[in-house]
Amino acid sequence: MKRVFLEGDSQTLFSEARLDAVRRIGALARDQDCAFAVVCGDVFESNRLEKDVIRKALDAMGAIPVPLYLLPGNHDPIDAASIYRSRVFLEHQPKNVVVLVEPGRREVAPGVELVAAPWPTKSPSEDLVAAVVEGLTPSLLRIVVGHGAVDTANLDAHGPALIHLADLEAALGAGVIHYVALGDRHSLTSVGDSGRVWYAGTPEPTAFDEIDPGKVLVVELDNDHIAVDPHVVGTWRFLLAEHSLDGPGALDDFKAWLTHVDSRRRTVLRLRLKGTLTLRERAELDEALDEARDVFAALEVDEAGGDLALVPDATDAGDLDLTGFARTTLENLQERARAGGTEAQDAQGALRLLYRLAREAE
Ligand SMILES: [Mn+2]
C-alpha cells in the first residue's frame, strides 16, 4: 500500500511487516490445523504494482502450508489488466495459491464449497454476492467469499454493489450457506445477528480510524456448530494520543510517556497537544518531538486546533544573551505574540525560531 506518512527506513520496515503478516498467517494455519485460508479481496492495493512487490508477496504466500484462495476485490478486480493475469503473477504463482477468478461454487474439501463473488471491474452495478447465492439449494457446507460494503444502516455505505444482508441471513437461516467471509472493511466486524457474517479486517493496520485491526479469523465450522476466533498477526500500530501540557510537571510527564510507548519503530503516532507554554518550554517540547521523530515510525503533531499556545514571559528574554537589534526584535515579537489574532500566531512561530537559533549560537 502507499504510505506517504512514512519516510526512510520506516518504509522498508512497513513493507517487511506486511510480508511477515502473511508468514504469520501460514504459521497460524498450521498451528490451528486449518484446511485452507481465504483472502476476501484487495489482496493487492492495485492491479499495477512493481514486479518485486508481486514476487515477494507470492513468495510469502507460497510458504503458507495450506491452500490459499484469493478473491479479486475492488482494488484488484479480475479485469483485462488484472494483476492476476499479469505475466509476473502467473510465472511465480505458487501451487497452493488459487485465484477465485470465476464467480460461483468451487469444492475445496470433501463436502465443502466456497461460493466466490470476485469483482469483475472496479465498479460493478449489482450485488455480486446475491448473484452467486441466488438459486442455491441446501447440500454441502458452504462458505461465501465476498467483498464490499454491506447495506446495514450502521455502516453507512451506499452504491449499486452493496451486499444485501437480509438475503444472506435468509440463506444462512435456510441452511443454504453456512458462513460469509467478507473483505473491504479494515476493522474487525461481525455483521448482523447470525454470528456467521464477518469482516476479518486488515491483517496489518493501515490507518488511525480502524477498529481492532491486525487480526485474522480462525473459523471452525460444521453443519450445526461455529466458532470464530480472532488471532493477532499484525505488529504495527496507529496511535492517536492527546496530552495536556499545562501545569507543573506536565511537560516532563509527556516526555516520559514518549519514551514508554511500546514498539516505537512500528508505531505511527499522531499527537494532539494542548496547553500554554513559555518559549523555553516550547523549545524543550520541540527537541523532545524531534528526538521522537527518529525513534517512532512516524510522528504527526496536530496543531491545527491552535490548542498549543505560546506565552512568552519575562524569563524567556533572560534565557537569551541578546543585545541591540536582536533584543529589540525579541521584544517586538513578544508584544505581538501576546496581542492575539493571526499575527500573534506568526509572531509565536518567529519567536520559537529566534529562541532556537539564539540557544544554538550560545
Ligand atoms: Mn475494497
Side-chain angles (χ1 to χ4, degrees):
M1 62 167 274
K2 294 191 193 78
R3 53 287 171 123
V4 292
F5 49 88
L6 294 179
E7 290 175 9
D9 59 356
S10 292
Q11 290 279 3
T12 312
L13 284 179
F14 193 76
S15 297
E16 210 48 50
R18 294 170 71 76
L19 294 167
D20 284 341
V22 177
R23 296 180 189 109
R24 270 191 291 276
I25 290 169
L28 183 67
R30 188 183 51 237
D31 294 348
Q32 298 285 318
D33 203 19
C34 296
F36 56 88
V38 297
V39 187
C40 302
D42 297 351
V43 182
F44 297 100
E45 185 178 45
S46 142
N47 271 334
R48 297 163 61 101
L49 293 177
E50 297 294 330
K51 288 192 176 76
D52 75 291
V53 173
I54 302 169
R55 285 193 201 106
K56 287 186 177 94
L58 290 174
D59 181 64
M61 290 180 206
I64 294 180
V66 298
L68 177 66
Y69 296 93
L70 307 181
L71 183 80
N74 61 307
H75 280 270
D76 50 1
I78 190 74
D79 58 15
S82 179
I83 196 165
Y84 302 110
R85 301 191 197 280
S86 69
R87 176 186 286 239
V88 59
F89 186 93
L90 295 170
E91 278 178 1
H92 293 85
Q93 183 173 0
K95 282 199 179 67
N96 66 312
V97 174
V98 179
V99 183
L100 298 168
V101 172
E102 298 296 333
R105 295 150 54 197
R106 169 191 279 267
E107 189 165 16
V108 293
V112 182
E113 280 183 351
L114 297 184
V115 183
W119 281 50
T121 68
K122 272 189 180 303
S123 43
S125 56
E126 60 165 346
D127 175 351
L128 299 168
V129 172
V132 293
V133 170
E134 197 183 354
L136 295 179
T137 52
S139 68
L140 307 166
L141 200 57
R142 289 204 183 101
I143 296 148
V144 174
V145 184
H147 186 88
V150 171
D151 67 347
T152 48
N154 60 331
L155 298 184
D156 191 29
H158 44 82
L162 273 188
I163 299 165
H164 301 292
L165 182 63
D167 295 353
L168 285 177
E169 291 194 319
L172 286 164
V176 169
I177 58 175
H178 302 87
Y179 185 80
V180 182
L182 294 176
D184 195 39
R185 261 180 84 70
H186 287 199
S187 301
L188 174 63
T189 312
S190 170
V191 183
D193 305 320
S194 66
R196 289 172 181 264
V197 184
W198 286 80
Y199 290 95
T202 178
E204 270 289 356
T206 69
F208 289 100
D209 58 0
E210 295 160 351
I211 300 159
D212 213 6
K215 298 194 170 85
V216 292
L217 295 174
V218 174
V219 181
E220 200 178 314
L221 189 65
D222 61 33
N223 277 309
D224 38 38
H225 162 263
I226 182 166
V228 181
D229 284 317
H231 288 257
V232 174
V233 290
T235 57
W236 276 59
R237 179 166 52 154
F238 287 71
L239 179 63
L240 188 61
E242 295 192 16
H243 286 267
S244 169
L245 301 178
D246 280 326
L251 184 55
D252 284 341
D253 288 349
F254 169 68
K255 286 164 67 178
W257 177 85
L258 276 177
T259 63
H260 284 101
V261 174
D262 286 338
S263 307
R264 291 189 289 280
R265 288 297 288 127
R266 297 190 299 270
T267 299
V268 180
L269 176 61
R270 178 180 290 166
L271 286 172
R272 296 211 173 116
L273 300 176
K274 59 181 181 184
T276 304
L277 302 178
T278 65
L279 261 179
R280 184 198 302 180
E281 289 166 338
R282 179 66 211 219
E284 196 180 331
L285 172 66
D286 286 341
E287 195 180 334
L289 293 176
D290 278 347
E291 287 168 13
R293 231 165 240 117
D294 289 338
V295 293
F296 280 82
L299 172 62
E300 302 168 26
V301 184
D302 182 3
E303 285 195 56
D307 291 333
L308 199 56
L310 189 68
V311 170
D313 65 17
T315 61
D316 287 336
D319 282 353
L320 301 177
D321 186 21
L322 294 178
T323 54
F325 177 71
R327 164 71 50 177
T328 312
T329 302
L330 174 70
E331 286 163 5
N332 280 340
L333 286 172
Q334 283 179 315
E335 203 169 297
R336 288 190 200 188
R338 285 192 208 94
T342 49
E343 203 184 38
Q345 291 285 328
D346 292 339
Q348 291 182 10
L351 269 174
R352 283 165 60 193
L353 184 60
L354 178 63
Y355 192 87
R356 206 185 79 215
L357 292 174
R359 292 302 294 264
E360 280 171 9
E362 279 172 12

